[in-house]
């Protein structure tokens, strides 16, 4: 005999553990994750501080991206404590082993006087601008808001910084910093698409700022018209969530690496040479992540490492590599997908081929090895 909705609800009330708001507070202090399964129009009115938000209709599709460990204790809540029971059952069905429901839902949480906040909302203009992002479950409103609150620093406003900067700005990264002490030269215009002919002789950071601000007024651009050095790097990097390294100097790459390791800031590294490009990501927040010195412990002799001015570069090549860097940056900022941490992506434009090499952390690395972590 088929069961009615009420029969099913009664069964879930008897089989799914439920906790009061006060009990949930104690569980949250023991590293449980609060999971809000309400719809966007409901969460716009407020959510429990620190909760993961996944609408019930997307739960099975998205939960393993947001809560990858199936042994994580999870407290599911909705508005009044009914939908959360069905959501908890769905979580158990896909393998989550410690799931409970919040009795009375968000309403009971508020009535208990426990902390909650109303998330900042996108404006009508922003909802239209980022509408294609909002339709992707892995991004949605929460992800787009996170991008708008993120701060990314570009090392260089040249070949790689140009496409990376443009796409990060178009994606709505709220603050973009740019470090570059050079001025726009005619030879740059073959590949550095942040700049125009009328920008010749202008500091690159100012030309880049004009272009980015014209593309997206949501973006605040911070400029540093100076060369990155060991003396200024910590002050410049402080406050940024992620570094995109598009420098063509080995000296700068090592300065960037050592500072990101020291500060615990992830970075996306890119490099180009004639027809070849490379991209990888380093994330010092992860115990298994290598750093740039794990790949190259020390710089090569200058005669073995010519830059683009000496060796040349295909004009469209940085567009490919810089766009991949922007993709990696967005993934790292949102915590989605599988970034190139521990992998080096190599691109050959002549053969139109990609290869991926594994990169392991060097326990004896002078920057991130065990001796440095003590």
């Amino acid at each position: 005999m088929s069961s009615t909705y009420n029969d099913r609800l009664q069964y879930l009330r008897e089989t799914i553990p439920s906790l009061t708001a006060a009990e949930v507070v104690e569980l949250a202090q023991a590293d449980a994750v609060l999971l809000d399964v309400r719809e966007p129009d409901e969460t716009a009115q407020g959510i429990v501080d620190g909760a993961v938000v996944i609408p019930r209709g997307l739960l099975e599709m998205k939960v393993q991206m947001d809560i990858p460990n199936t042994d994580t204790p999870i407290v599911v809540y909705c508005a009044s404590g009914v939908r959360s029971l069905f959501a908890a059952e769905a979580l158990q069905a896909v393998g989550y082993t410690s799931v409970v429901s919040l009795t009375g839902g968000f309403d009971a949480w508020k009535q208990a006087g426990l902390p909650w906040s109303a998330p900042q909302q996108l404006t009508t203009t922003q909802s239209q601008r980022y509408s294609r992002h909002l339709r992707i479950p892995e991004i949605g409103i929460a992800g787009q808001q996170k991008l708008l609150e993120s701060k990314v620093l570009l090392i260089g406003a040249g070949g790689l910084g140009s496409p990376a900067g443009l796409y990060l700005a178009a994606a709505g990264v709220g603050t973009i910093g740019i470090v570059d002490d050079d001025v726009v030269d005619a030879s740059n215009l073959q590949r550095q698409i942040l700049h125009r002919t009328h920008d010749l002789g202008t500091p690159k950071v100012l030309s880049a700022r004009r272009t980015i601000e014209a593309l997206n007024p949501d973006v605040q651009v911070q400029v540093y018209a100076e060369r990155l050095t060991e003396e200024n790097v910590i002050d410049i990097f402080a406050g940024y969530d992620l570094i995109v390294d598009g420098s063509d100097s080995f000296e700068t790459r090592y300065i960037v690496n050592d500072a990101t390791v020291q500060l615990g800031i992830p970075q996306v590294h890119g490099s180009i040479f004639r027809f070849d490009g490379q991209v990888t990501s380093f994330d010092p927040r992860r115990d298994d992540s290598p750093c740039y010195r794990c790949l190259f412990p020390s710089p090569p002799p200058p005669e073995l490492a010519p830059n683009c001015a000496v060796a040349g570069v295909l004009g469209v090549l940085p567009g490919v590599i810089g766009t991949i860097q922007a993709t990696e940056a967005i993934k790292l900022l949102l915590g989605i997908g599988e970034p190139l941490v521990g992998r080096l992506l190599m691109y050959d434009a002549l053969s139109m081929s990609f290869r991926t090499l594994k990169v392991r952390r060097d326990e004896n690395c002078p920057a991130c090895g065990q001796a440095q972590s003590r």
Side-chain angles (χ1 to χ4, degrees):
M1 178 170 30
S2 62
S3 62
T4 66
Y5 168 80
N6 288 334
D7 292 336
R8 188 67 183 167
L9 179 58
Q10 183 59 35
Y11 169 77
L12 293 178
R13 282 174 171 160
E14 294 172 354
T15 57
I16 299 294
S18 295
L19 299 178
T20 65
E23 291 170 327
V24 167
V25 171
E26 294 183 8
L27 193 60
Q29 292 172 345
D31 297 328
V33 173
L34 278 77
L35 175 59
D36 190 324
V37 295
R38 295 175 299 155
E39 297 302 311
D41 61 325
E42 297 174 287
T43 57
Q45 306 305 313
I47 62 173
V48 175
D49 290 346
V52 173
V53 179
I54 307 176
R56 174 63 189 92
L58 301 175
L59 185 60
E60 291 88 343
M61 179 191 308
K62 193 177 178 186
V63 65
Q64 290 185 335
M65 290 181 288
D66 289 355
I67 311 175
N69 186 352
T70 55
D71 293 328
T72 301
I74 300 175
V75 179
V76 190
Y77 74 87
C78 58
S80 61
V82 174
R83 277 173 294 170
S84 58
L85 292 170
F86 290 92
E89 181 187 37
L91 289 172
Q92 291 177 343
V94 295
Y96 286 85
T97 60
S98 180
V99 185
V100 301
S101 172
L102 171 59
T103 302
F106 186 60
D107 292 341
W109 184 274
K110 289 193 296 183
Q111 289 170 6
L114 294 169
W116 62 278
S117 58
Q120 186 176 352
Q121 296 299 300
L122 301 180
T123 65
T124 301
T125 300
Q126 288 173 331
S127 295
Q128 182 178 17
R129 177 183 285 269
Y130 308 117
S131 62
R132 301 306 187 269
H133 272 179
L134 304 184
R135 296 175 184 176
I136 302 175
E138 292 83 354
I139 301 179
I141 294 176
Q144 188 59 56
Q145 189 60 54
K146 191 169 185 179
L147 289 178
L148 287 163
E149 294 169 356
S150 295
K151 298 181 179 181
V152 174
L153 181 67
L154 304 178
I155 310 301
L160 295 175
S162 288
L166 285 170
Y167 271 107
L168 290 173
V173 172
T175 300
I176 295 178
I178 307 172
V179 183
D180 201 311
D181 69 339
D182 203 1
V183 298
V184 180
D185 181 81
S187 65
N188 303 146
L189 302 181
Q190 164 248 22
R191 64 198 179 281
Q192 299 182 15
I193 57 175
L194 274 173
H195 315 297
R196 306 290 182 263
T197 301
H198 63 255
D199 294 319
L200 292 175
T202 302
K204 286 184 179 180
V205 292
L206 300 184
S207 171
R209 181 169 64 185
R210 281 199 298 264
T211 302
I212 289 173
E213 289 178 344
L215 173 64
N216 190 349
D218 285 339
V219 181
Q220 300 295 315
V221 182
Q222 305 289 333
V223 299
Y224 307 87
E226 55 189 297
R227 179 173 293 276
L228 198 68
T229 67
E230 293 179 352
E231 288 71 32
N232 64 16
V233 63
I234 299 299
D235 288 339
I236 291 176
F237 281 17
Y240 283 95
D241 301 308
L242 184 139
I243 310 298
V244 174
D245 182 13
S247 62
D248 62 358
S249 158
F250 276 96
E251 178 185 5
T252 302
R253 292 170 187 169
Y254 286 98
I255 291 173
V256 170
N257 178 78
D258 296 349
T260 54
V261 170
Q262 178 181 338
L263 296 171
I265 302 174
Q267 68 147 312
V268 182
H269 167 75
S271 63
I272 51 177
F273 180 79
R274 293 183 175 169
F275 297 96
D276 300 322
Q278 299 180 352
V279 184
T280 188
S281 295
F282 305 118
D283 190 349
R285 301 169 301 181
R286 291 175 46 168
D287 292 338
D288 63 339
S289 175
C291 74
Y292 187 74
R293 286 188 184 270
C294 294
L295 272 174
F296 307 106
S298 59
E303 64 273 13
L304 298 181
N307 59 26
C308 294
V310 175
V313 61
L314 181 68
V316 297
L317 175 64
V320 176
I321 302 302
T323 301
I324 294 174
Q325 285 184 279
T327 306
E328 283 290 287
I330 290 172
K331 287 161 55 183
L332 285 164
L333 291 170
L334 297 181
I336 60 175
E338 297 182 12
L340 288 169
V341 175
R343 294 181 294 152
L344 177 66
L345 182 67
M346 305 179 70
Y347 171 63
D348 182 339
L350 283 180
S351 64
M352 193 53 71
S353 61
F354 289 88
R355 288 191 303 152
T356 304
L357 304 179
K358 289 186 177 180
V359 182
R360 292 181 172 84
R361 182 177 180 181
D362 180 1
E363 296 300 330
N364 297 314
C365 172
C368 71
Q370 289 183 344
Q372 295 297 319
S373 61
R374 293 193 186 104

